[in-house]
Amino acid sequence: MKILSAAQLAEADQSTIEKQQISSIDLMERVAQLVFERIHQRLNGAPVPIKIFCGIGNNGGDGLAIARHMIQHGYHVKVFITNCSKKRSKEFLVNYDRIKEVTNDWPVLLSCKEEIPAIDDQDVIIDAIFGTGLNRPITGWMADLIEHINQSKAFKVAVDMPSGLFADQPHQPGDAILKANHTFSFQTPKLSFFLPETGEYTGSFEVINIGLDPEYLMKADPLAQLISKEAAQSMYKSREIFTHKGDYGHVLTMAGSQGKMGAAVLCASAAINTGAGKVTSYVPSSGNNIMQSSLPEVMTLQGKGEPYIADFNHELKKVVLCIGPGLGQEPDTVSAFAKAIQSQELPTIIDADAINILASHPELIQHIPKKSVLTPHDGELKGLLGEWKNSYEKIELAKKFSTEHDLILVLKGAYTITVAGSSLYVNDSGNPGMATAGSGDVLSGVISALVAQGYDTLTAAVFGVYIHGASGDLAAQTYAHEGLKASLISNFIGPAILHLFRQPQQAAPAQS
């Protein structure tokens, strides 16, 4: 699914009006009907008090039309209009007249100077004050209203956008933004829904297809692509019958040091569980027995050095190197890392300590094979890119780095974002239980195995991130968020792939 900008969505509205030969008020009525149906499905006529706060623009027009449908279906609705100026939209005025035809309890016009209306804990609040057209922070009485609504325990529903939140630009700390429990977004989600400083305001969100011009949507160059189950299904490559392990590639993990061999085990385990034909672990001599006793399916090569890897030398052919988990940053290890990346012909997956080495030795970046994948968390990313003011600036820095070096960045987070040049891919799977030690080591193993099986590195990164998150989602159904650990995520990779195409009765973990 495409994530479009506020400007693009406005253009899509206009294109829809022209091509479908409908008026803007007809399009607004379509939107209101769809939102009402979603709300009605949940409330089912329950006699809960509903307070709808409307602005005087098109978002307010949506709110008035929704209110009219709710009144006609017997809901207890009270409408408040933030009548702070005379700049009312034409569509707002039409719906203001229409609601008077269905109720004697007309909307309350607030001059934005009087006392703010009382809100009870049992109320349902529908926010239709400002939509995607907002281009400046909310101030004054309106900011006080937003704060008053936020302080209440009422359930809050946002129409298209929580008021005060920008669709695709940062806000300043302290800006007045309504904190919704649920947001109905029109046609596409907004980029701000997926970023840590802004996503907390949307609560859960739901995208409603309002029938905008499909030709415009198809041709539009999106801010990002949202990767959900349907998109992941299209990336999956099924196996042919007459194949053997050599057809599914060879992953070489260069990982582990004394006290951090678990990272190497998790990475290699994930590569096996994701279907690599062969996995070999290049480990320090102190880690050889740990690896072989933990994973009998994995071959080992002992690097020079007992507590940490001090060199890189092997005779394997056409391997996909995954380097970094638990590696350490000893001077000899840095030299071994430099030798490793300079010896690679195939794209490499670089994680953890290997990223920290690049940050300390940026001259090595030029030796990384093109189209390689780096999987940093924010702390590691800052070593590469420097500090940023907000997530939008972080994304721009990542785009620049990716473009300059022809590398793919996987920015790990609640919604992991894969950056390939100017293109962004936002992942829709995963849960807070995956914020646990070793989860990133599993991800690097997943992506490595997919590259070894012939996926191009961008697809491997995007698909791998989705499968990694889906594995965590399935594991959490049995173990809860609090009970998740990295080895469980790895063991649910197989069930997650099955889950792409069918709902298994029980997602049983693989045995490692």
Side-chain angles (χ1 to χ4, degrees):
M1 179 185 292
K2 290 183 176 181
I3 298 173
L4 301 181
S5 69
Q8 287 175 312
L9 288 168
E11 290 176 356
D13 281 352
Q14 190 59 40
S15 180
T16 302
I17 290 167
E18 293 172 0
K19 291 186 177 180
Q20 297 181 11
Q21 297 185 344
I22 61 173
S23 66
S24 58
I25 194 67
D26 291 334
L27 180 58
M28 184 175 286
E29 186 65 20
R30 178 195 298 176
V31 169
Q33 179 68 40
L34 290 168
V35 174
F36 163 73
E37 289 171 357
R38 300 296 178 95
I39 295 173
H40 187 45
Q41 287 171 2
R42 290 163 171 78
L43 294 182
N44 196 27
V48 296
I50 298 168
K51 292 177 179 174
I52 303 181
F53 288 85
C54 299
I56 55 176
N58 283 359
N59 196 240
D62 292 331
L64 286 170
I66 294 165
R68 172 165 41 84
H69 286 291
M70 299 193 78
I71 291 167
Q72 289 174 315
H73 283 77
Y75 285 99
H76 304 295
V77 176
K78 187 69 177 178
V79 179
F80 299 91
I81 295 175
T82 56
N83 192 41
C84 302
S85 78
K86 296 182 180 180
K87 296 180 180 180
R88 302 172 183 87
S89 74
K90 176 179 64 177
E91 292 78 11
F92 165 84
L93 291 171
V94 170
N95 277 304
Y96 182 63
D97 288 336
R98 285 180 177 179
I99 198 170
K100 294 179 180 179
E101 298 173 0
V102 299
T103 180
N104 292 322
D105 187 10
W106 287 7
V108 177
L109 292 173
L110 302 170
S111 67
C112 304
K113 296 179 181 178
E114 66 269 65
E115 186 176 343
I116 291 171
I119 297 174
D120 297 323
D121 291 349
Q122 67 269 28
D123 290 343
V124 172
I125 302 298
I126 297 180
D127 164 34
I129 303 172
F130 294 110
T132 56
L134 184 70
N135 57 16
R136 64 182 185 275
I138 298 174
T139 58
W141 185 93
M142 289 291 298
D144 293 339
L145 172 63
I146 296 296
E147 179 62 20
H148 179 65
I149 295 173
N150 284 344
Q151 290 299 319
S152 75
K153 296 181 180 178
F155 190 87
K156 307 166 191 71
V157 177
V159 176
D160 198 26
M161 290 283 294
S163 289
L165 182 65
F166 301 130
D168 43 52
Q169 58 179 299
H171 63 81
Q172 297 300 315
D175 283 354
I177 304 172
L178 189 134
K179 196 166 187 178
N181 297 101
H182 189 77
T183 298
F184 291 108
S185 183
F186 301 159
Q187 199 66 49
T188 75
K190 315 303 189 292
L191 184 58
S192 59
F193 293 4
F194 305 102
L195 305 179
E197 307 99 319
T198 51
E200 62 176 334
Y201 294 101
T202 63
S204 57
F205 70 86
E206 186 174 348
V207 177
I208 299 179
N209 185 341
I210 62 173
L212 295 185
D213 177 24
E215 183 179 4
Y216 180 92
L217 297 176
M218 181 180 66
K219 292 181 178 179
D221 186 19
L223 292 178
Q225 295 275 4
L226 180 63
I227 305 301
S228 55
K229 184 175 182 179
E230 183 179 3
Q233 286 173 339
S234 68
M235 298 177 195
Y236 174 71
K237 298 166 81 171
S238 60
R239 295 194 171 196
E240 302 293 335
I241 296 175
F242 297 104
T243 54
H244 55 82
K245 64 185 180 185
D247 294 317
Y248 301 109
H250 191 169
V251 172
L252 174 64
T253 65
M254 180 179 173
S257 57
Q258 193 166 35
K260 298 180 182 178
M261 280 306 300
V265 171
L266 289 167
C267 180
S269 169
I272 284 289
N273 288 342
T274 311
K278 294 184 289 185
V279 176
T280 298
S281 283
Y282 195 93
V283 295
S285 59
S286 61
N288 187 70
N289 289 341
I290 295 173
M291 181 62 71
Q292 294 217 301
S293 59
S294 299
L295 295 172
E297 302 90 347
V298 173
M299 299 170 286
T300 63
L301 290 172
Q302 294 184 56
K304 178 182 176 183
E306 181 179 352
Y308 52 83
I309 295 173
D311 72 341
F312 184 77
N313 187 27
H314 69 85
E315 296 180 356
L316 301 176
K317 304 296 183 184
K318 293 185 178 180
V319 295
V320 172
L321 178 64
C322 177
I323 185 168
L327 188 66
Q329 301 176 61
E330 298 292 335
D332 287 345
T333 305
V334 173
S335 298
F337 168 79
K339 184 178 179 181
I341 60 171
Q342 292 179 58
S343 68
Q344 298 307 301
E345 297 180 2
L346 298 177
T348 298
I349 288 71
I350 299 175
D351 186 28
D353 282 327
I355 296 175
N356 291 328
I357 291 173
L358 287 175
S360 300
H361 301 272
E363 70 278 3
L364 296 176
I365 294 174
Q366 63 181 315
H367 299 296
I368 301 173
K370 303 303 181 186
K371 309 299 182 185
S372 291
V373 181
L374 281 65
T375 60
H377 57 58
D378 274 0
E380 294 158 351
L381 187 64
K382 287 177 181 177
L384 286 177
L385 306 183
E387 297 287 337
W388 51 79
K389 296 178 182 177
N390 53 63
S391 292
Y392 290 95
E393 185 175 20
K394 177 177 80 171
I395 289 171
E396 291 306 313
L397 290 171
K399 286 181 180 179
K400 181 180 179 182
F401 181 93
S402 174
T403 300
E404 287 180 352
H405 301 290
D406 198 9
L407 300 172
I408 296 166
L409 290 175
V410 174
L411 311 182
K412 294 184 285 195
Y415 291 98
T416 293
I417 299 177
T418 300
V419 181
S422 61
S423 299
L424 304 178
Y425 303 86
V426 180
N427 186 57
D428 193 31
S429 64
N431 61 78
M434 299 179 71
T436 185
S439 179
D441 304 321
V442 172
L443 175 61
S444 59
V446 172
I447 297 172
S448 303
L450 294 173
V451 175
Q453 290 172 76
Y455 290 78
D456 67 84
T457 49
L458 176 56
T459 302
V462 173
F463 183 53
V465 167
Y466 180 85
I467 289 299
H468 178 253
S471 303
D473 289 339
L474 287 178
Q477 292 178 17
T478 299
Y479 295 95
H481 292 165
E482 293 78 4
L484 281 192
K485 56 183 180 179
S487 58
L488 289 173
I489 298 170
S490 177
N491 287 342
F492 273 85
I493 292 169
I497 293 173
L498 282 176
H499 199 259
L500 282 175
F501 302 100
R502 61 183 176 88
Q503 296 283 348
Q505 291 184 350
Q506 183 175 1
Q511 298 298 314
S512 62

